[in-house]
Amino acid sequence: MNAPRNQIQFGVFFQGVNFSTIWTAPESGSQTDFESFRRVAQTAERGLFSAFFLGEGLRLREHLGRLHDLDVAGRPDAQTQLAALAAVTSKIGLVATQNATYNDPFDLAHRLQSLDLLSGGRAAWNIVTTDNAWTGENFRRGGYLDHADRYTHAEQVVETVRAVWDSWDEEGSPRLVARDFGAFDVRGTGRLPRSPQEHPVLFQAGDSDEGRDFAARTAEVIFSAHGAFEAAKTFAADMRRRTALVGRPADDLKIFPGQQFVLADTDAEAQEKARWVVEHQVTPATALAFLENVWGTSLQNYDPDGPLPDIDPVVEVTGETRGAGFRAQKTRDTVAAWRAQAEAENLSIREFVIKVGGRREGGIVGSYQSVADLLARYADEHVVDGFNVSPWLIPSGLDDIVDRLVPELQERGVYPTEYRGDTLREHLGLRPPLTRRGATTDAAQAPSLDLV
Amino acid sequence: MTARPFALAVELDGAGSHPAAARAAGLDARQVLEAARLADHLREAERAGFTAATFADSPLGSRLDAIQRSAFAGPLTSAIGLIPVAHAVYSEPFHVATQLASADFASYGRTGWIVGVDPDPRIAVAYGREAVGPEHAAATAADFIEVARRLWDSWEDDAVIRDTATWRYFDRDKVHYIDFEGASFSVKGPSIVPRPPQGQLPIFTDAASGVAGDVALVTSSAEAAVAAARDSGAALVWLELEVALDHAGLPGRERVERLDDVEPWAREGFGRYVGDAGGLVDLLAELAAQVDGVRLHPAALDGPLGGDLEELGRAVLPELRRRGIHTPPAVGATLRESIGLPASVNRYATKATA
């Protein structure tokens, strides 16, 4: 008898930002109506997805010093929206991206724990960090954090949040937690009992060396940008090595690359659909804005269907859509390389951005059968633990994945046929939280965070 | 002119307002927080015809976050208003404003906000901020409210244009920086959440806190107290009233005595009615001529000594409805509409061009 095949899982990322969500199609729905969120979450739950994921950006994106108006923007607060979704779902995990720099540690710990209890043990925190003073303009402390300190600070916030979660005492009074963050210090106690999954699951998405080590020490699930097979394989090997190096079992950290899927009955139809998708994602205006990010100046006089601009980039101005970063020499090099590539391949501005932007977005394109075969390979070689699906249409973007792809995967034995339990920790097959692996567990298997 | 609606709200925190309510019902720390119980109480309150449910909170004490509780309540209900307490002295105005806006989306315009103005130094140290006195706290809360109001207006209602001629998703002339500068904080804006369905969520403040909102919560229906609350700028005045009703053959007085045996129900300055449903109906009918609404704090909701919510839904609200004193909120109505506040006007709205 064959051993059961290794399986992959799906999560869904309701983005609400960036150009990969198509807002121009007739079937593009509301980005704020609760029904859009309910439909995506319930469709995902029907498809046995382990998690529903919301991002967070604490300041509206700007482009060349003005609000960036070309992409979908304006989304609900993650935890509040997930609390509402907890009422209309019963199994799926609820993942809130929350900034470690601009949330107060005690407040953050309490709200996450609150969501975890409200949802019966389905909450997770996707830890992000920034030193960005520009974002700080919306908050009391402003830009208090140096760039070099952001991961150190985030790690200290995570440690504090965990200490707050662990401070509840079932019998008597909770233990006092006091921490000094340099710029401020906090003191208090946990206010809530443990949830059915002990405490919220920790997600992380950093990709730098520092970010990867932070994830290896701290997180239980890592999102990555490495969805293509070979890249995913390399990434998994690297993360498992880093995880083992800090004394955790190598499979302690689950790997979920973000991924866009374009599916159809045949490979040819899927390719055609993929062309439609990318053309709707990269509008002529988005193509120009994409280049403006690098050139640092307005390119509105250039024809999106014409060649790349012949002017030099304005490197003194940091005219970027926030989140991307370019430095002077790197910018000049990029512009030169792009011009050369566009010229060699005879690409217009828009064609070029579709090619470059499309590559950045990745994407798995094919028939239901061929994509299922491909994903079975990911499962067999354990290249990922799952994919965080980024639908390019809201709210219908998961329909074909759930109705057509999931059954193909289940037939191949590489996708769950039921939820393993009621909590997110159970769905993901996670061990107990790092701080709660008691003395009964093999010490080598469960180091305390303090030891690493 | 149509009569101003008389609102009836019910506080749904925990197992009731009596401090012994949870213990008397045999609920432990975990059980009292259960989502299923909250959902049952919400449905019961909506069936009873209450204008709104309120959710107490404080940055101290063992409760689920009240904004999350009201967001959770949104999809479970379709008419009742949902009004959480959110603290406004040491917390971040940007976070609280966007959380409340999001709860308003999840409830299709049925969310309000009771402003928490507690200067307790233990809250200050949990946030890592300097503790302030009551006056400073009130001033901070007033700034906090101003930031929330500006953020809620920072996207105009028609800011999202989805214009395929220019490929613009929104019109940046209709999304505004708020540039608030205050003594305790400054906030740049705009909001990261578009304008909530109600535009401006109704803001409730304790009349004694010295912070002005749309609705003042008072502890006395005396003419002078109500007049003072109106003078403070509140459009509406609601009275706080504790209730313990006769239920299932047990007189309200006896229920309170038995609960008091576990832990006494201290007077917090609220009026308290203990007795039969008929007497409460008469009292509320009288009050309807004096204030714009009453928020009831039922003594106990669950267990053998509970039953106040059940009794209110069985014998009090139906009778008030029959007498034409109170009307349940309409399905799909906003909280502003249900309580009698006019539609909000956006301070940043671009003047229509002639």
Side-chain angles (χ1 to χ4, degrees), chain A residues 66-83:
Chain A
R66 300 179 67 188
L67 293 174
H68 183 56
D69 55 2
L70 303 178
D71 298 349
V72 297
R75 48 183 168 177
D77 171 72
Q79 288 209 59
T80 309
Q81 188 74 345
L82 295 173

Side-chain angles (χ1 to χ4, degrees), chain A residues 22-25 28-36 38 56-63 65-81 83-88 102-107 110-119 134 136-141 168 170 184-188 191-196 283-286, chain B residues 29-30 33-35 38 43 57-69 71-76 88-95 98-108 122-129 140 144 151 155 160-164 166-173 175-178 184-194:
Chain A
I22 295 170
W23 56 263
T24 51
S28 299
S30 170
Q31 293 286 322
T32 45
D33 191 328
F34 182 72
E35 279 307 314
S36 293
R38 181 210 294 262
E56 181 195 61
L58 295 173
R59 184 157 171 186
L60 278 192
R61 295 160 71 218
E62 289 174 358
H63 178 73
R66 300 179 67 188
L67 293 174
H68 183 56
D69 55 2
L70 303 178
D71 298 349
V72 297
R75 48 183 168 177
D77 171 72
Q79 288 209 59
T80 309
Q81 188 74 345
L85 288 169
V88 294
Y102 293 113
N103 276 289
D104 293 292
F106 273 90
D107 180 67
H110 178 71
R111 284 184 299 112
L112 286 164
Q113 209 176 2
S114 183
L115 180 65
D116 203 24
L117 282 163
L118 199 56
S119 62
W134 175 78
E137 285 181 356
N138 282 333
F139 298 99
R140 292 186 187 234
R141 291 192 183 99
W168 176 266
E170 297 287 331
F184 59 97
D185 60 287
V186 294
R187 198 164 73 246
R191 294 155 54 196
L192 293 170
R194 297 176 183 199
S195 85
T283 65
T286 294
Chain B
R30 191 174 274 103
L33 302 171
E34 267 173 13
L38 174 62
R43 293 195 186 96
D57 206 357
S58 150
L60 305 166
S62 189
R63 289 181 167 109
L64 301 188
D65 178 80
I67 296 177
Q68 287 186 16
R69 275 182 280 159
F72 177 80
L76 297 176
V89 180
Y90 302 114
S91 52
E92 284 284 3
F94 192 86
H95 286 318
T98 53
Q99 288 162 14
L100 286 164
S102 304
D104 200 44
F105 273 107
S107 63
Y108 290 89
R122 290 172 299 171
I123 304 173
V125 296
Y127 279 95
R129 289 190 240 286
T140 304
F144 202 111
L151 286 170
W155 289 59
V160 174
I161 50 173
R162 296 183 182 236
D163 180 20
T164 50
T166 58
W167 306 110
R168 289 174 306 147
Y169 177 75
F170 67 86
D171 179 350
R172 58 184 159 204
D173 293 335
V175 180
H176 308 273
Y177 293 98
I178 69 163
S184 301
F185 42 76
S186 58
V187 178
K188 179 76 184 172
S191 178
I192 48 173
V193 186

Side-chain angles (χ1 to χ4, degrees), chain A residues 207 212 224 226-242 255 257 378 381-384:
Chain A
D207 198 37
R212 290 183 187 200
S224 84
H226 310 289
F229 191 86
E230 288 305 322
K233 197 170 176 172
T234 308
F235 181 78
D238 181 59
M239 283 317 302
R240 287 172 188 147
R241 180 185 60 82
R242 288 176 200 255
I255 301 169
Y378 279 84
E381 299 192 31
H382 196 194
V383 163
V384 299

